[in-house]
């Protein structure tokens, strides 16, 4: 099936997508009040500053919520899309798929690490559960 | 508390719908025209009197704008025209504001939805249903995800509600089964003749687990419209006026449609509280509750924000569930979406909730008429797009 998805660069998202190419999670952050902003925007919602920079985030996250899509085809695993709450700030969410698909026992609150995966020729973030 | 000064200043005087269906052999434009024509005829107005036209234009897929209806029905006296974001009740609010401000005397407000090739895998290659290739991304956020949809966010919100507040699939099933049961008394619903049992709901196939096809309204071909005017003008028209006691939106943050579909309760509570405050009544004064059901989790949000508190919806649904009739009756009396909602009529994004409110308060709801209905609650949408109103009859 032809799939037309590709990163849509604009003046807000450019740093994020260029970070993905380098396999770095670059998140917009207010230079004044230090509030993290994702999806990136040109004005800080917390203090209204225009002074928006971009910083590398740790990639540490926990599962805020997730959804499971049934397998597409024989022998394939179900896929899981996760809203990962980044360690940097409460309810700062990154949406990415669980690398490798569904795992038994997955639950809200599970710890996650960031991985980089190929999606139709583009490098995008993925998550992996951190198991001890 | 005291009533808002605009209490019962305005009324809905005409309603119309096209024939809702999954494969209508009409275009989306035809549905808009059929619905608007029906609403004008229902109101008893002449087409020369229609001087305002508004519609829902900003939605997930291509739709019809007011100019199409103005041209298609040959309206040449339109001095107010506007588009609103979905859900449907939002264009009615636009019409209310326009009439109240004196921008026009009679506002025709419509929404038409269509089963485009992009909305249903079953018709992906249908020769007559090709959409203009545009998916709106009003928050500029969907493009940051590979891939994502609003429905996935709803599934995430449902899972979070289940984890945080202990709701079970059975509770969402009560909403789905109630709406389908009620639709068996509505010949216009696309699921008329197809009742649903709780066992069938529980066994349904997940699309985005934890939700299934039965937690989501089906895409259909359909248009609906209403006409708003002042209470004074309504007195001269054929139908018993259905007054607008209060209306409101309620939008809070965060609200991004891809990333942040999890704080809807703050928004829905703001909207519900504002409606009851302005109408100076309480949820116990409501006789019919038409709560949005584009997704069952949204009905849960509206139940909690209107009747109880966050996290208490599941218990309240258990108290309201009538096993014998397979319906929900709040306080043992108030029906939930007697027309069957979007889950059963199909996805016209809440306009059916408005039309059913009007029918019930006119006393024209036939076999599903709620006894002595005087006030109907209409709640549409979620955060960040919603609209609600309390309708009243004398």
């Amino acid at each position: 099936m032809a799939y037309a998805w590709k990163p849509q660069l604009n003046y807000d998202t450019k740093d994020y997508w260029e970070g993905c190419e380098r396999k770095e999670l670059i998140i917009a952050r207010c230079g004044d009040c230090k509030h993290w902003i994702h999806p990136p925007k040109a004005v800080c919602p917390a203090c209204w500053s225009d002074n928006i920079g971009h910083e590398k985030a740790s990639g540490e996250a926990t599962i805020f919520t997730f959804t499971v899509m049934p397998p597409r085809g024989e022998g394939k695993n179900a896929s899981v899309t996760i809203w990962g709450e980044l360690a940097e700030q409460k309810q700062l969410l990154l949406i990415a798929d669980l690398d490798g698909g569904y795992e038994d026992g997955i639950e809200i609150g599970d710890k996650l690490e960031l991985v980089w995966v190929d999606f139709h020729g583009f490098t995008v973030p993925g998550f992996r559960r951190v198991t001890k | 508390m005291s009533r808002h000064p605009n209490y019962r200043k305005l009324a809905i005087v005409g309603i119309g719908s096209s024939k809702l269906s999954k494969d209508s052999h009409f275009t989306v434009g035809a549905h808009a025209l059929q619905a608007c024509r029906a609403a004008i005829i229902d109101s008893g107005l002449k087409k020369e009197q229609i001087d305002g036209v508004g519609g829902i234009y900003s939605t997930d897929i291509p739709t019809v704008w007011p100019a199409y209806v103005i041209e298609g029905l040959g309206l040449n006296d339109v001095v107010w025209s506007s588009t609103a974001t979905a859900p449907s009740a939002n264009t009615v609010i636009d019409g209310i504001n326009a009439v109240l401000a004196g921008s026009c005397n009679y506002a025709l407000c419509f929404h038409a939805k269509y089963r485009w090739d992009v909305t249903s895998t079953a018709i992906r290659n249908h020769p007559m249903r090709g959409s203009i290739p545009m998916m709106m991304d009003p928050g500029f956020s969907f493009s940051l995800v590979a891939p994502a949809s609003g429905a996935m966010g709803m599934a995430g919100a449902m899972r979070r509600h289940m984890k945080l507040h202990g709701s079970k699939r059975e509770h969402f099933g009560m909403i789905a089964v109630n709406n389908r049961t009620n639709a068996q008394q509505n010949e216009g619903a696309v699921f008329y003749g197809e009742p649903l049992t709780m066992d069938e709901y529980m066994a349904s196939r997940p699309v985005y687990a934890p939700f299934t096809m039965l937690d989501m309204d089906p895409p259909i071909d359909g248009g609906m419209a209403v006409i708003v005017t002042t209470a004074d003008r309504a007195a001269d028209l054929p139908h018993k006026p259905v007054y607008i006691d209060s209306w409101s939106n309620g939008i809070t943050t965060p609200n991004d449609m891809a990333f942040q579909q999890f704080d809807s309760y703050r928004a829905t509570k703001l909207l519900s509280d504002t409606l009851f405050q302005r109408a100076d009544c309480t949820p116990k004064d409501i006789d019919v509750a038409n709560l949005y059901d584009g997704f069952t989790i949204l009905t849960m949000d509206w139940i909690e924000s209107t009747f109880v508190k966050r996290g208490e919806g599941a218990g309240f649904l258990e108290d309201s569930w009538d096993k014998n009739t397979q319906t929900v009756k709040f306080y043992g009396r108030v029906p939930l979406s007697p027309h069957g909602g979007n889950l059963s009529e199909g996805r016209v994004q809440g306009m059916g909730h408005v039309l059913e409110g009007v029918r019930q308060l006119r006393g024209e709801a036939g076999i599903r008429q709620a006894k002595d209905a005087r006030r109907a609650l209409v709640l549409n949408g979620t955060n960040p797009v919603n609209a609600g109103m309390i309708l009243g009859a004398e």
Side-chain angles (χ1 to χ4, degrees):
Chain A
M1 185 174 68
Y3 196 81
W5 185 89
K6 61 173 185 163
Q8 297 289 323
L9 268 69
N10 60 37
Y11 294 108
D12 289 333
T13 63
K14 182 172 167 287
D15 290 80
Y16 172 82
W17 285 119
E18 288 176 355
C20 288
E21 267 183 60
R22 301 192 303 272
K23 301 190 175 179
E24 286 182 350
L25 181 62
I26 302 299
I27 302 290
R29 192 176 192 190
C30 178
D32 291 331
C33 78
K34 305 298 176 191
H35 188 77
W36 296 88
I37 306 160
H38 192 73
K41 290 184 180 68
V43 174
C44 174
C47 76
W48 294 4
S49 169
D50 292 323
N51 181 20
I52 307 299
H54 295 85
E55 291 182 30
K56 188 175 169 182
S58 67
E60 289 170 37
T62 53
I63 298 181
F64 187 82
T65 192
F66 65 99
T67 178
V68 182
M69 278 74 69
R72 293 190 175 200
E74 199 74 20
K76 290 199 171 160
N77 195 4
S79 64
V80 178
T81 296
I82 294 174
W83 284 255
E85 185 174 38
L86 299 180
E88 278 73 12
Q89 185 172 288
K90 192 168 181 282
Q91 214 168 324
L92 178 70
L93 303 181
L94 181 74
I95 306 174
D97 284 1
L98 186 66
D99 189 33
Y102 183 76
E103 295 170 12
D104 282 333
I106 184 171
E107 191 46 275
I108 289 171
D110 288 356
K111 283 198 174 353
L112 300 167
E113 63 183 9
L114 193 70
V115 294
W116 294 98
V117 297
D118 179 85
F119 186 78
H120 297 273
F122 298 96
T123 306
V124 301
F127 284 123
R128 200 173 285 158
R129 285 162 81 214
V130 180
T131 45
K132 285 180 183 167
Chain B
M1 286 205 295
S2 64
R3 277 176 184 158
H4 193 281
N6 293 329
Y7 174 85
R8 296 203 176 177
K9 286 269 179 70
L10 296 145
I12 295 176
V13 295
I15 56 173
S17 174
S18 69
K19 183 173 165 27
L20 313 175
S21 107
K22 287 188 175 178
D23 191 3
S24 64
H25 297 263
F26 286 109
T27 62
V28 66
H31 283 277
L33 296 178
Q34 290 161 357
C36 289
R37 180 182 58 191
I40 299 170
I41 291 169
D42 181 63
S43 71
L45 292 163
K46 296 190 192 75
K47 79 173 188 180
E48 292 75 18
Q49 291 175 282
I50 303 299
D51 58 353
V53 181
I56 298 292
Y57 190 55
S58 176
T59 180
D60 50 347
I61 44 170
T63 178
V64 180
W65 70 352
Y68 184 95
V69 167
I70 292 167
E71 180 176 87
L73 295 184
L75 306 179
N76 282 300
D77 302 276
V78 175
V79 292
W80 172 80
S81 176
S82 180
T83 58
T85 56
S88 295
N90 215 19
T91 185
V92 184
I93 286 185
D94 264 14
I96 289 168
N97 288 327
V99 171
L100 194 62
S103 298
C104 62
N105 294 334
Y106 301 97
L108 170 67
C109 309
F110 73 94
H111 188 30
K113 288 284 281 182
Y114 204 57
R115 197 159 164 253
W116 295 106
D117 54 359
V118 293
T119 49
S120 180
T121 47
I123 47 150
R124 187 125 299 169
N125 299 311
H126 194 292
M128 305 297 233
R129 293 178 176 274
S131 62
I132 302 150
M134 67 171 195
M135 286 295 276
M136 289 199 184
D137 190 4
F140 301 103
S141 60
F142 284 100
S143 61
L144 273 172
V145 188
S149 71
M152 286 165 71
M154 291 294 121
M158 182 173 171
R159 184 181 296 280
R160 226 175 130 69
H161 193 279
M162 292 166 85
K163 174 77 175 172
L164 265 55
H165 306 301
S167 54
K168 306 258 184 287
R169 281 200 61 231
E170 286 89 335
H171 298 117
F172 297 95
M174 289 173 186
I175 295 164
V177 172
N178 168 80
N179 288 17
R180 191 72 78 82
T181 302
N182 286 346
Q184 304 318 307
Q185 300 187 325
N186 175 8
E187 289 183 24
V190 295
F191 280 119
Y192 177 75
E194 292 180 56
L196 175 72
T197 67
M198 185 63 88
D199 287 345
E200 286 165 344
Y201 173 84
M202 293 303 287
S204 64
R205 187 173 54 88
V207 184
Y208 298 114
F211 89 57
T212 73
M213 288 297 277
L214 298 175
D215 290 295
M216 190 164 57
D217 56 356
I220 58 153
D221 305 344
M224 295 186 188
V226 308
I227 293 173
V228 176
T229 190
T230 59
D232 289 346
R233 291 189 195 97
D236 299 328
L237 292 169
H239 283 290
K240 176 182 168 186
V242 171
Y243 299 105
I244 296 152
D245 290 3
S246 63
W247 68 93
S248 183
N249 301 116
I251 321 290
T252 59
T253 72
N255 66 31
D256 187 277
M257 284 187 80
F259 283 78
Q260 299 283 353
Q261 284 281 298
F262 312 109
D263 293 278
S264 307
Y265 177 74
R266 286 180 64 191
T268 54
K269 178 147 178 60
L270 174 63
L271 195 159
S272 294
D273 286 355
T274 306
L275 285 183
F276 286 102
Q277 194 188 328
R278 288 178 176 174
D280 193 20
C281 67
T282 73
K284 292 205 163 135
D285 298 317
I286 292 297
D287 303 309
V288 176
N290 297 338
L291 312 187
Y292 197 74
D293 57 342
F295 298 94
T296 53
I297 178 65
L298 302 183
T299 314
M300 182 70 87
D301 286 339
W302 288 118
I303 288 171
E304 292 186 338
S305 62
T306 300
F307 297 104
V308 281
K309 290 203 293 270
R310 190 54 152 174
E312 295 178 358
F316 189 66
L317 273 164
E318 283 173 22
D319 294 344
S320 308
W321 180 245
D322 181 344
K323 208 176 168 184
N324 293 325
T325 59
Q326 297 284 292
T327 59
V328 171
K329 292 269 195 310
F330 302 124
Y331 310 122
R333 176 181 70 85
V334 181
L336 168 63
S337 297
H339 60 308
N342 291 162
L343 288 173
S344 302
E345 281 197 330
R347 185 183 301 157
V348 190
Q349 295 185 307
M351 197 63 111
H353 297 66
V354 181
L355 264 59
E356 179 67 4
V358 173
R359 284 190 210 101
Q360 290 282 346
L361 297 187
R362 282 180 178 177
E364 293 177 356
I367 52 170
R368 61 179 191 272
Q369 179 65 48
K371 197 163 170 278
D372 301 326
R374 303 272 299 280
R375 282 196 188 89
L377 175 65
V378 175
L379 296 169
N380 268 196
T382 180
N383 212 22
V385 284
N386 56 32
M389 55 189 75
I390 293 174
L391 303 177
E394 271 159 14

